[in-house]
Amino acid sequence: MHFVSICHQHGCKLWNVSVLSILVLTACNVLLMLRLLHTECTNISADSVPKPHPPLPPLILDNVVISNVSPIFNVDPRLGRWDTRHTYKMIDHALVGTLFTELSESFSVCLATQTSLEKVHSLVQVAHHWNGPISAALFAAGDEEFSILQVRERVSFQLAFPKEKIPTTSLFVETSSHLDCTRPEASLGKLLKKRSPDIVRWRLRNPYPQNHMRNLARKNCQSPHVFLTDVDIIPSTNLADGLNNFFKTENCNALCAYVVPTYELDDRVQFPRNKTELVRLTGRGLARPFHHKVFIYNQFATNFSRWEQDKYINAVHVSHKVTNFEFLYEPFYVASDSVPPHDERFIGYGFTRNTQVYEMYVAGYEFFVLSPVFTIHWGLQHRKGRPSWRERQNTNNRKNFDQFKREVFARYHKDPLRMVAHQSKDNKLK
Ligand SMILES: *[C@@H]1O[C@H](CO)[C@@H](O)[C@H](O)[C@H]1NC(C)=O
Ligand SMILES: *[C@@H]1O[C@H](CO)[C@@H](O)[C@H](O)[C@H]1NC(C)=O
Ligand SMILES: *[C@@H]1O[C@H](CO)[C@@H](O)[C@H](O)[C@H]1NC(C)=O
């Protein structure tokens, strides 16, 4: 059964009586839009494309061919793969871009990323900069989805749905026939407004399962190496090709992970075309290490000043090794996907990515910082009060962390940061 076809013909209303949760409805909405756009709305005018950020550098793949073939939605929501606690259902390769398989063979690194509704538009810029294969895990989506049309050839989409209560109100009562295909942005906005307050509240109340999504994205990559990011982390241009060349001669015979430094960038400037330009922006206060003001431990061990001093720009290479690894370091790195999984007991904010990196360190991984490549997070971040829901999620995860670090100790018989011996480090935790 093709659930998208059903959406298409009868509206997503049908699923109100299904066993699936409300988020399926949102995902259904996305797929519906993708389908509509792909089959009928390929004539999107340039000015209907949102420009949330300064203009992009030229597209790397100008030759993407948008075919007129309907995408094949390999989705039956009665099937799928449950997580270990039976709270989320995953669907692998729900929508596979026509180039994904081929690119997975020719590129040594697959970009794995995950996103919820609110940030999905970032995927467009990510795909403009990354011309290799992308595995994207979508939890729920909808806004500005049409843009994915431009990039979906290279992307394989995975879906995740929470098992949860069935909504009581009818959603999306109007079907696609009322939507204006030539104005996808407005149509999507219309669809989004039809989400009942229930869904919106549900989303606010329930944490986003970051680590489930990361594993989902990672495990559907087919290339030997994976670059796992969050969707709002934008790669420097030509990163995929640069890494491809790097891995041709890489000869790590231990456990190696390659850090791609992350900077945050003032929204008013253009995406830096190369490291020289990034370093210049840094000197003018328009770029700085990611989370520098908000939570410095996050990236500190990368040693940005050392990276900035490395002036060799002709090929991707190791700038230096991370020598001062500390707990709470959470770089974005490229590694073989045999690195430890992201622990799925951490749900929502706090202890999601840094616990995985911590386990890598305990397992004996060494971290090497690559240059002249980098990633960018838009917007200089400032310390501000955390919303209470985020604090709550962090507190819940902190409780699990105690157990987690004991398990890691039991698994590797090592405690290099003295996390089990000394509890005092906990005071440093977010
Ligand atoms: C695309 O849009 C242009 C301008 O609006 C129009 O002239 C053209 O016929 C459209 N093409 C298709 C295939 O609808
Ligand atoms: C880096 O980018 C700047 C600005 O676009 C350009 O002038 C410079 O030539 C670039 N440097 C290299 C080595 O590509
Ligand atoms: C960064 O590297 C420099 C050497 O270039 C070293 O002196 C400094 O201690 C390092 N800082 C950190 C935080 O590792």
Side-chain angles (χ1 to χ4, degrees):
M1 181 167 59
H2 264 195
F3 111 82
V4 172
S5 311
I6 283 173
C7 290
H8 196 55
Q9 285 153 25
H10 305 292
C12 299
K13 195 174 166 185
L14 243 190
W15 292 106
N16 289 341
V17 295
S18 81
V19 292
L20 282 164
S21 82
I22 50 187
L23 277 184
V24 170
L25 294 167
T26 323
C28 178
N29 174 1
V30 172
L31 295 183
L32 167 64
M33 283 315 289
L34 281 171
R35 183 190 169 93
L36 280 175
L37 294 167
H38 200 65
T39 53
E40 292 149 33
C41 304
T42 46
N43 203 4
I44 296 166
S45 74
D47 42 342
S48 68
V49 176
K51 294 196 178 61
H53 290 302
L56 299 172
L59 296 193
I60 290 168
L61 260 200
D62 289 322
N63 56 345
V64 167
V65 178
I66 302 205
S67 67
N68 280 323
V69 183
S70 283
I72 298 147
F73 294 105
N74 188 17
V75 172
D76 181 343
R78 297 167 306 176
L79 302 175
R81 181 165 58 84
W82 288 100
D83 72 324
T84 48
R85 287 179 180 72
H86 211 81
T87 46
Y88 298 99
K89 186 190 261 200
M90 321 285 174
I91 297 186
D92 299 325
H93 300 295
L95 174 60
V96 183
T98 51
L99 300 177
F100 179 78
T101 317
E102 194 183 306
L103 291 176
S104 295
E105 285 167 7
S106 53
F107 279 83
S108 58
V109 183
C110 163
L111 188 139
T113 192
Q114 41 84 29
T115 179
S116 63
L117 174 69
E118 297 77 14
K119 291 182 176 174
V120 77
H121 56 81
S122 291
L123 190 55
V124 178
Q125 195 177 20
V126 168
H128 283 173
H129 286 205
W130 179 270
N131 61 348
I134 300 174
S135 165
L138 298 182
F139 186 62
D143 202 2
E144 298 170 273
E145 273 295 328
F146 66 92
S147 302
I148 289 174
L149 181 66
Q150 306 167 343
V151 301
R152 56 175 290 278
E153 268 70 13
R154 269 168 288 155
V155 184
S156 170
F157 292 94
Q158 339 301 339
L159 298 179
F161 312 130
K163 176 176 83 176
E164 254 294 336
K165 62 187 187 337
I166 301 162
T168 52
T169 53
S170 244
L171 307 166
F172 309 121
V173 183
E174 290 172 46
T175 61
S176 55
S177 58
H178 296 268
L179 297 172
D180 179 355
C181 275
T182 59
R183 299 182 58 241
E185 189 176 13
S187 297
L188 267 173
K190 241 168 100 180
L191 275 177
L192 271 180
K193 285 209 187 77
K194 289 189 187 127
R195 293 189 306 175
S196 74
D198 273 358
I199 286 192
V200 177
R201 263 199 308 276
W202 189 93
R203 277 293 313 237
L204 285 175
R205 260 203 318 267
N206 289 274
Y208 174 71
Q210 304 190 14
N211 278 2
H212 287 77
M213 302 304 285
R214 292 187 174 117
N215 289 330
L216 180 60
R218 275 173 59 174
K219 292 301 170 193
N220 280 298
C221 272
Q222 308 297 319
S223 311
H225 296 87
V226 169
F227 181 32
L228 177 77
T229 64
D230 290 341
V231 76
D232 49 6
I233 300 298
I234 316 292
S236 55
T237 49
N238 299 322
L239 179 53
D241 288 323
L243 291 173
N244 235 12
N245 289 331
F246 173 75
F247 279 110
K248 277 181 195 149
T249 54
E250 179 244 20
N251 56 351
C252 167
N253 41 26
L255 298 170
C256 299
Y258 298 96
V259 174
V260 181
T262 306
Y263 280 75
E264 53 190 44
L265 185 68
D266 194 301
D267 279 314
R268 293 166 302 183
V269 299
Q270 292 208 357
F271 195 99
R273 278 160 195 266
N274 52 43
K275 177 173 175 176
T276 316
E277 205 179 306
L278 174 63
V279 171
R280 193 158 45 233
L281 290 169
T282 306
R284 292 166 54 202
L286 295 168
R288 64 186 177 213
F290 186 42
H291 275 166
H292 188 69
K293 289 273 160 66
V294 176
F295 191 69
I296 194 167
Y297 308 109
N298 186 282
Q299 306 286 320
F300 190 66
T302 294
N303 199 343
F304 291 85
S305 55
R306 192 159 173 195
W307 184 80
E308 287 168 19
Q309 281 157 20
D310 179 341
K311 306 284 189 215
Y312 180 70
I313 51 167
N314 290 339
V316 176
H317 63 282
V318 171
S319 158
H320 59 277
K321 185 175 157 184
V322 170
T323 51
N324 58 333
F325 187 98
E326 58 188 338
F327 180 62
L328 300 180
Y329 182 41
E330 48 179 30
F332 294 102
Y333 60 83
V334 182
S336 147
D337 200 40
S338 50
V339 299
H342 285 74
D343 196 294
E344 294 180 358
R345 87 189 83 181
F346 300 112
I347 296 179
Y349 278 92
F351 301 91
T352 55
R353 221 150 48 74
N354 54 38
T355 45
Q356 192 274 341
V357 176
Y358 167 67
E359 182 171 348
M360 283 173 76
Y361 183 70
V362 176
Y365 276 86
E366 297 183 296
F367 293 83
F368 299 90
V369 182
L370 295 182
S371 182
V373 289
F374 55 89
T375 56
I376 291 291
H377 182 280
W378 281 108
L380 299 179
Q381 313 261 297
H382 298 283
R383 228 175 230 286
K384 47 182 181 267
R386 262 192 240 221
S388 61
W389 57 265
R390 193 159 163 169
E391 205 53 64
R392 207 163 45 241
Q393 294 178 3
N394 200 58
T395 305
N396 284 339
N397 283 342
R398 181 172 308 173
K399 287 178 198 146
N400 287 322
F401 176 65
D402 220 46
Q403 179 68 20
F404 172 80
K405 68 183 179 189
R406 281 177 226 287
E407 287 175 17
V408 169
F409 178 60
R411 204 170 296 145
Y412 302 97
H413 311 291
K414 280 191 277 182
D415 187 16
L417 298 180
R418 301 183 65 74
M419 295 293 291
V420 180
H422 287 272
Q423 303 277 325
S424 61
K425 268 228 162 177
D426 280 3
N427 298 335
K428 219 166 100 177
L429 308 185
K430 316 190 208 187

